[in-house]
Structure formats: structure tokens, C-alpha cells
């Protein structure tokens, strides 16, 4: 079934909360001179951007703490479960990105299939994921900077603390992205090479210190302590009355939901669609290539770390990759890992920053946010949205104490993955005529499996994460109905037609 809007374009609805933009209109909007992005990224550039984010944000922080507190040696299996979910979603992203080569990722895809209201919800959701996620990574970068230079990257004035390290990296990356996407990709390539080398050294050196007995029990028995029950336990555990999600099978499932954070990055590659030279081919290769590389690295690292020491020695909130080497007396590796973590967080921050600015750019161009934000500079980059993200990140990371937001980021991303997977099936039915550079195999089976896997991981996130997520979405709905709906480009076009 193909719908027609009043303007005669295939695949669009021009009125109502669920008005959609036709694919043709989405592509035409990218050609406006004052909001046009420069096309200069290759498949290699996109793969580098994906790996740059995926390897770093999670591998240096999540592996040890998740093993020590949630899953034990089975954390490696948790990474496999998360990777399978990502693969299913990545196939759907690859088809969408090659069919609709427009900035905005899941936001733009939703606008073309589900309509404006759903697109706003996804865009609002992704803004939380990327903007606040960048702030958290900036604070982590500042902490590692302090370890490397031997100086606290924070200053205290009376009782007011300013994290100058986080502010510094926010400013540096903002300038880098404003100067051009290609330059940012080249910088990311150099730093990514450094951190991948560190990860390989971790695996090779650590492999010589593996004690097979540390893998037993592979799935530790569940903890009987009920103090972790309530809003801190996973929603699935809460609904089934398990009491907590520490170790055992519930712990394994909860760990898969947690380590999913470590795979974020391939979806950000989709936000570069408008800046790719040959999006029909380069986007699928960049998305699937980056995911394949990091899955191998993650499983190898987790097997090494949990084999070097007992998972019990990794318990607590301060465990990192370096902890295992410290326990085994390999102190020189601690410093190497700190340098690798600093490099990893730097490239991760570049890509998160990049993705956040492109989401806001796409929403501003559509009028759901102030349109003046969508203007591009002489180098074909969205200067104003980049500066905005930089200022917000610098304020949040530099002034406010921000706790870990991995779960909050996860639930938002999984929600976006779910809609993208459904959207592939919808667009196959409504626009079978569209040229697709990549096609998801076994439709609708693969998209359905992707939806089930994403919803399953969402169920294994904590109750308090669900509560915060609902509150954030409610705030977004208020903004949509008080501002965005009236200022939408689609609203103005429909008014002119009427």
C-alpha cells in the first residue's frame, strides 16, 4: 500500500500528529545551500568513527565492574548476547541508512515511516543519550587526564568545584568538529590506532597470566541478599519476583543490558548519512564493519580479565581493566591502560559529540527546534549546533557532579533500535519502489527478532531507569505540544496548502 499526500509525493502524509515526510522531500531538504552538509566520508572513515566510539567508552570501564558485581566470568557471554542484539539492529540500520541518506539517524527514519510525533520522541530520546552521554565521558576523560599528568584536573573554589579538564576537552573537540568532518575522522583514526594497540597488548600480555580455575563457576550462584531489590533491580527481576539481579541467570541477563552500552557507536555512524560520499555502499560497510571488529575485541578482553583474577576481586565501583593487572603485580600495564583509556575516551567523545550535533541539526532543520540552529558554516559543518552541544557538555561536565548514566543511555538507544527495526518492515510495504543499497535478509523475521531482543534487554534494565525514562519522555511531550508542533516545517507547508 502506498499513500499519497496532497502534494502528490509518494509516501507522505501532510497533516496530523503522524504526518510523515516523503523520502523525496527528505533528500530535497539536504540540498538547501544554507543547511547543506559536505559529502566527504568513505566507508573506511565511517568504520573508523564507529570503532572510535565503541572501543573506549565501555571496554575500559564496564568489563571489570560488570564481572565483579553482576555476572562473574559469564560477562563474556553477556557481551555476546548484547552483540547479537546489536547485529540484528545493525542490519536494519544499514538498510535504512542506505535508503534514506539523510542526517538524523533513527529520528529521520522515524519521520519517514511513523510520522512527526514519533520522530520527535526518538529525537528527544537521542538528545538525552548523546548530549548527557558526552558529558559523562568528558568527566571520565578528565579523571584519566589527572592520572596521566599526575595532577587533579579539577579546582575547588570555596565549596564549588570546576572540572577544567572536562571543559578543556569539550572546547577542543568543538573546534575540531567545526573545522571539518574529514579532519575529525583523520584525528580519530590516529588515536583509535593507539587505543586498539593498547587493547591488543592487554589481551596478549594478560593471556600469559590466565588461571583456568578463575572461570569456575562460569555463572556464579545468585546472591541471596535482598538489599538490592526494589527500584535498583532489573524490571524483569522485579516482575518475576526474583528479588535481585546479582549473578546467576538473572545477573547474566542484567549484565547483557548493562554492557550493551559498550556497543554504542555503530548507530551514530548512521547520523553521518548525509556526509558520506557513497551512502548506499559505505554506510552498511561502516556500520557492520565496526560492529564485527569490536565484538571480537570485547570477548577477548573479558575472557582475559576474568581469567587473570577471580571475579570476586573485581567487585566494587572502582574496578577497571588495570585492576586485574595490579592484582597480578604487572604495574607497568596500569599506566599503559591509562593512556589507552585516555585515547579511547577522546575518540569516543568525538563521535558522541558528532552524533549529538547532527541529531539537533536535523531536528532544527525540520523546525521542531529553532531553525536558526541548522545553519552550516563555510566548511559545510553545522557550526551552531556544534557550539551548542559543546557549551551544554562543558557546563554539565565542568560544573555539575554527574553519576553514571550507562543504563539511561541504554534504554534510550534500545527504544530507538526497536522503532528502526519496525520501520524497515513498514517502509518495505509503503515504499517497495525505493532503491536500497543494502537489504535486510529474511524480512520480516530479522526485524522481528531485533525488536524482541531489544525489548528483552530493556526489561533487564533497572526499575529506576524506567522511571527516569518515562519522566524524560513526558517532558519532551510538553515541549512538542507547546512549541515544536506549531513551528514544524511540515505544519507550515500544510497551512500554505490549505
Amino acid at each position: 500500500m502506498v499513500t499519497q499526500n496532497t502534494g502528490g509525493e509518494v509516501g507522505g502524509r501532510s497533516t496530523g500528529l503522524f504526518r510523515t515526510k516523503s523520502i523525496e522531500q527528505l533528500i530535497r531538504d539536504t540540498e538547501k545551500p544554507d543547511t547543506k552538509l559536505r559529502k566527504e566520508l568513505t566507508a573506511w572513515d565511517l568504520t573508523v568513527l564507529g570503532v572510535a566510539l565503541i572501543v573506549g567508552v565501555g571496554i575500559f570501564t564496564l568489563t571489570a565492574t560488570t564481572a565483579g558485581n553482576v555476572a562473574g566470568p559469564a560477562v563474556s557471554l553477556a557481551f555476546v548476547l548484547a552483540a547479537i542484539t546489536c547485529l540484528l539492529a545493525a542490519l536494519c540500520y544499514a538498510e535504512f541508512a542506505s535508503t534514506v541518506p539523510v542526517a538524523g539517524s533513527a529520528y529521520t527514519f522515524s519521520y519517514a515511516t511513523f510520522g512527526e510525533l514519533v520522530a520527535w520522541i526518538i529525537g528527544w530520546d537521542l538528545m538525552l543519550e548523546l548530549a548527557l552521554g558526552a558529558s559523562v565521558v568528558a568527566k571520565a576523560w578528565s579523571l584519566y587526564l589527572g592520572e596521566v599528568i599526575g595532577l587533579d584536573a579539577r579546582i575547588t573554589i570555596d565549596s564549588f568545584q570546576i572540572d577544567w579538564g572536562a571543559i578543556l576537552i569539550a572546547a577542543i573537540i568543538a573546534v575540531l568538529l567545526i573545522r571539518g568532518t574529514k579532519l575529525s575522522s583523520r584525528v580519530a583514526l590516529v588515536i583509535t590506532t593507539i587505543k586498539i594497540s593498547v587493547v591488543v597488548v592487554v589481551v596478549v600480555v594478560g593471556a600469559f597470566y590466565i588461571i583456568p580455575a578463575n572461570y569456575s563457576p562460569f555463572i556464579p550462584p545468585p546472591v541471596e541478599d535482598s538489599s538490592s531489590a526494589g527500584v535498583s533491580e532489573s524490571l524483569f527481576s522485579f516482575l518475576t519476583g526474583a528479588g535481585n539481579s546479582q549473578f546467576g541467570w538473572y545477573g547474566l541477563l542484567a549484565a547483557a543490558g548493562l554492557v550493551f552500552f559498550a556497543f554504542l557507536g555503530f548507530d551514530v555512524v548512521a547520523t553521518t548519512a548525509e556526509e558520506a560520499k557513497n551512502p548506499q555502499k559505505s554506510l552498511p560497510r561502516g556500520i557492520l564493519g565496526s560492529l564485527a571488529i569490536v565484538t571480537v575485541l570485547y570477548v577477548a578482553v573479558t575472557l582475559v580479565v576474568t581469567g587473570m583474577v577471580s571475579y570476586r576481586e573485581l567487585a566494587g565501583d572502582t574496578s577497571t581493566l588495570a585492576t586485574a593487572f595490579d592484582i597480578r603485580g604487572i604495574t607497568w600495564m596500569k599506566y599503559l591502560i591509562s593512556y589507552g583509556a585516555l585515547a579511547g575516551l577522546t575518540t569516543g567523545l568525538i563521535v558522541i559529540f558528532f552524533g549529538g550535533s547532527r541529531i539537533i541539526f536535523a531536528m532544527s532543520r525540520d523546525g521542531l527546534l529553532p531553525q536558526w540552529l541548522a545553519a552550516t558554516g563555510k566548511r559545510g559543518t553545522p557550526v551552531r549546533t556544534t557550539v551548542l552541544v559543546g557549551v551544554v557538555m562543558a557546563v554539565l561536565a565542568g560544573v555539575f557532579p554527574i553519576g553514571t548514566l550507562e543504563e539511561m543511555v541504554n534504554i534510550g538507544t534500545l527504544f530507538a533500535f526497536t522503532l528502526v527495526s519496525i520501520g524497515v518492515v513498514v517502509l518495505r510495504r509503503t515504499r517497495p519502489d525505493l532503491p536500497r543499497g543494502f537489504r535486510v535478509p529474511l524480512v520480516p523475521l530479522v526485524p522481528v527478532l531485533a525488536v524482541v531482543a531489544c525489548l528483552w534487554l530493556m526489561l533487564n534494565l533497572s526499575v529506576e531507569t524506567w522511571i527516569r525514562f518515562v519522566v524524560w519522555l513526558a517532558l519532551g511531550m510538553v515541549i512538542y505540544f507547546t512549541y515544536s508542533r506549531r513551528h514544524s516545517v511540515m505544519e507550515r507547508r500544510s497551512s500554505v496548502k490549505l
Side-chain angles (χ1 to χ4, degrees), residues 447-480:
V448 168
L449 290 175
V451 171
V452 171
C454 288
L455 292 177
W456 177 250
L457 289 186
M458 289 175 73
L459 278 174
N460 283 283
L461 295 175
S462 69
V463 176
E464 59 186 341
T465 297
W466 277 89
I467 294 173
R468 287 195 294 264
F469 182 60
V470 171
V471 171
W472 176 255
L473 291 184
L475 176 61
M477 295 301 288
V478 172
I479 294 175
Y480 175 77

Side-chain angles (χ1 to χ4, degrees), residues 164-197:
W164 62 264
I167 296 174
L168 175 65
I169 191 61
I172 291 173
I173 292 178
V175 171
L176 182 64
L177 289 175
I178 288 172
R179 289 187 60 82
T181 305
K182 187 69 173 181
L183 175 62
S184 304
S185 176
R186 288 171 178 168
V187 172
L189 173 59
V190 174
I191 304 177
T192 298
T193 302
I194 295 172
K195 70 177 180 182
I196 291 296
S197 301

